[in-house]
Amino acid sequence: MAESAELILDGKSISLPVIEGTEHEKAFDIGKLRDQTGYVTLDSGYKNTGATKSAITFLDGEEGILRYRGYPIEQLAEKSNFLEVAYLLIYGALPTQAEFDNFKYQITQHTLIHEDIRKILDGFPSSAHPMGILSSLVCSLTAFYPKSIAPEISKEELDLNIVRLMAKISTIAAWSYKNSVGHPLIYPRNDLDYCANFLYMMFSFPTEKYEINPVVVSALNKLLILHADHEQNCSTSTVRLVGSANASLYGSVSAGINALWGPLHGGANQEVIEMLEAIEADGGDTSKWIAKAKDKNDSFRLMGFGHRVYKNFDPRATIIKKAADEVLQALGLKDSPLLKIAQELEQAALTDQYFIERKLYPNVDFYSGIIYKALGIPTEMFTVMFALGRLPGWIAQWKEMRENKEPIGRPRQIYTGELERDYVPMSERA
Ligand code: CMC
């Protein structure tokens, strides 16, 4: 392997050290480039920029590989559960039974939220999007746990913040939904597992007994595992960037939730179902919508297709497609018209030159929306579900960034604005 690369600039040779990762990914270290030459690099959208060295998640978009801490996503989705995967991501190794029991116990003990947070929730209109509520209430935890905002926090305090956040986010998420439909808030039940407890808080009523459906619990575990980390995506980079200013874990994760909300990121799962419903309402002619997606004069995109890094297939989509089949079968929803439209779209796109040439395959959000719909999760909650799943990844990345003592993130720019000019009084302006 080359240990450095030579950059020839104005006849001068500049040596750029080559950095190699454990999976042989290579990078030029340009950290000293500006000092040496006055130049910066420009990479809009960071398509070709490594912002950090990370030991958490390996992803190969060309080969369709995704591994958390070295473990293939396929094995974790089949054999593990969401809390175990959360532990793995955050602490770097699969837990022993004692470690897992303790982690689970700690999280279970923190599921209640301060009653004053209820009052904040009461202040939101029932029309508020649950993602807005989620990010606000997660940020409000800084007010209830002020030690969390200290620039340096002990390992014990960090562990406490981690279990608090893992526990409370599911209560906040379920309550954000209950608020939106005007139903009574349901308090957590600590005898239930993480996913079962979340479903209980979402769907039960104080007036009736709630039956936990194991098919739904298992599907939810799988979905959350598949979303748990995805290296330096938009929301995770946001969490790291905000955290690099020594902002608190709660504040940084709240920022990540807002990034995830965007329709080009986590918001896509909601957009997929809305698109399928729009196609159904329009008569169900999928070819018309495929044509719209290909038309450069039409801003419509086939939601749930394409990915910034997966240019072959999205391994999460393969697992989730199988899970969607199983769930729909088990819940007797195999003949749903939306599923039929989804299958037709998928087939049409996979055989269409436009999509083939651009390597546009169904991504994780194409199928996750379909499963969430089948599980009875309301459309506006889809991105909240993504946030629940992504939380361990955000925590792990924030923790890694702090432990590695990374400097504050501060990109450069190439200025393209006006040159210096004198202020003109308002009376003299044209
Ligand atoms: N439908 C139609 N055309 C598309 C689509 C699509 N979904 N996605 C990309 N293209 C076209 C695009 O118009 C461009 O064509 P051309 O080369 O002729 O100009 C080409 O494919 C490359 O697109 P791009 O926007 O440069 O690709 P990107 O890597 O910057 O964007 C993406 C990736 C995910 C933002 C984009 O594919 C997209 O908008 N997809 C729909 C939204 C979606 O499903 N997002 C969820 C992503 S997965 C969950 C997550 O990790 O957040």
Side-chain angles (χ1 to χ4, degrees):
M1 186 204 74
E3 281 167 4
S4 67
E6 297 303 313
L7 173 70
I8 310 293
L9 198 62
D10 301 331
K12 255 177 61 188
S13 166
I14 317 291
S15 174
L16 301 175
V18 169
I19 309 287
E20 184 167 350
T22 48
E23 288 281 354
H24 309 296
E25 291 172 301
K26 296 187 183 70
F28 303 122
D29 181 349
I30 50 113
K32 297 207 163 54
L33 187 65
R34 188 167 179 277
D35 287 346
Q36 289 172 334
T37 65
Y39 284 67
V40 297
T41 54
L42 182 63
D43 181 18
S44 180
Y46 310 119
K47 289 192 177 195
N48 202 41
T49 293
T52 188
K53 290 188 231 166
S54 177
I56 300 171
T57 289
F58 174 66
L59 154 48
D60 182 332
E62 277 71 37
E63 297 296 326
I65 294 172
L66 175 61
R67 296 185 203 128
Y68 299 159
R69 302 283 188 184
Y71 297 101
I73 191 67
E74 292 80 5
Q75 290 180 22
L76 294 171
E78 193 192 327
K79 298 179 182 164
S80 188
N81 61 67
F82 178 58
L83 277 196
E84 186 182 54
V85 167
Y87 185 99
L88 169 70
L89 284 166
I90 296 168
Y91 295 107
L94 286 170
T96 60
Q97 188 68 53
E99 286 166 339
F100 180 72
D101 291 347
N102 180 48
F103 187 58
K104 189 173 164 187
Y105 175 77
Q106 294 294 331
I107 289 176
T108 309
Q109 291 306 301
H110 287 89
T111 48
L112 283 173
I113 55 178
H114 197 293
E115 283 295 303
D116 286 347
I117 293 183
R118 267 194 85 143
K119 294 185 195 145
I120 307 177
L121 181 64
D122 281 345
F124 280 94
S126 59
S127 57
H129 194 290
M131 280 298 272
I133 298 181
L134 189 72
S135 86
S136 307
L137 295 192
V138 164
C139 197
S140 81
L141 294 175
T142 53
F144 292 87
Y145 306 103
K147 280 190 193 160
S148 66
I149 59 176
E152 296 292 334
I153 51 173
S154 65
K155 184 185 171 310
E156 290 69 34
E157 184 65 25
L158 176 57
D159 286 343
L160 186 57
N161 287 335
I162 290 171
V163 290
R164 269 193 203 127
L165 190 48
M166 284 291 301
K168 292 180 199 311
I169 199 168
S170 98
T171 311
I172 294 172
W175 284 14
S176 71
Y177 165 62
K178 288 292 193 190
N179 178 68
S180 72
V181 283
H183 291 169
L185 303 183
I186 303 293
Y187 281 79
R189 257 182 57 190
N190 288 353
D191 60 317
L192 296 176
D193 280 352
Y194 193 86
C195 288
N197 181 45
F198 173 74
L199 292 165
Y200 165 75
M201 289 189 287
M202 276 283 291
F203 294 120
S204 70
F205 290 93
T207 44
E208 282 172 30
K209 192 167 175 331
Y210 178 70
E211 295 290 341
I212 309 271
N213 184 337
V215 172
V216 176
V217 173
S218 156
L220 185 55
N221 261 296
K222 206 166 271 190
L223 280 159
L224 297 185
I225 290 172
L226 294 178
H227 284 91
D229 196 46
H230 214 230
E231 51 117 301
Q232 307 311 316
N233 57 84
C234 177
S235 57
T236 302
S237 300
T238 302
V239 170
R240 285 186 90 122
L241 188 63
V242 174
S244 77
N246 275 0
S248 74
L249 178 64
Y250 304 137
S252 307
V253 164
S254 168
I257 292 170
N258 289 323
L260 187 75
W261 194 359
L264 294 186
H265 190 10
N269 54 15
Q270 173 173 341
E271 304 259 333
V272 168
I273 287 296
E274 286 169 357
M275 172 188 78
L276 296 177
E277 285 169 347
I279 298 176
E280 188 192 13
D282 188 53
D285 178 2
T286 47
S287 60
K288 174 175 159 190
W289 293 77
I290 293 271
K292 266 167 79 64
K294 289 157 55 174
D295 182 354
K296 288 288 156 210
N297 297 317
D298 191 326
S299 62
F300 173 75
R301 280 190 168 197
L302 212 51
M303 298 314 286
F305 277 76
H307 199 277
R308 172 59 62 81
V309 287
Y310 292 123
K311 300 297 178 193
N312 181 345
F313 67 96
D314 181 341
R316 303 168 302 170
T318 313
I319 301 168
I320 224 167
K321 183 180 178 187
K322 191 162 161 275
D325 281 347
E326 287 162 8
V327 167
L328 292 167
Q329 185 80 46
L331 299 179
L333 297 168
K334 262 309 224 187
D335 299 324
S336 112
L338 286 196
L339 184 65
K340 198 168 152 282
I341 292 174
Q343 284 164 341
E344 270 181 40
L345 269 187
E346 185 191 353
Q347 269 319 305
L350 290 177
T351 49
D352 188 297
Q353 269 318 106
Y354 174 94
F355 291 88
I356 295 170
E357 275 164 16
R358 290 169 180 75
K359 300 185 191 300
L360 299 171
Y361 296 87
N363 58 48
V364 68
D365 285 330
F366 188 67
Y367 304 105
S368 63
I370 294 169
I371 303 195
Y372 285 138
K373 175 104 183 150
L375 299 188
I377 309 270
T379 315
E380 286 216 322
M381 282 293 289
F382 287 6
T383 317
V384 172
M385 304 305 297
F386 194 157
L388 280 189
R390 185 53 54 89
L391 180 63
W394 288 333
I395 295 173
Q397 301 268 354
W398 187 96
K399 183 167 168 282
E400 179 182 68
M401 183 263 315
R402 282 296 182 87
E403 286 168 355
N404 290 350
K405 300 202 183 320
E406 290 182 18
I408 185 168
R410 205 298 187 189
R412 294 278 179 173
Q413 65 165 17
I414 298 296
Y415 175 70
T416 58
E418 299 285 349
L419 297 180
E420 184 178 354
R421 48 185 174 165
D422 289 325
Y423 179 82
V424 182
M426 199 175 283
S427 58
E428 292 171 25
R429 289 177 215 160

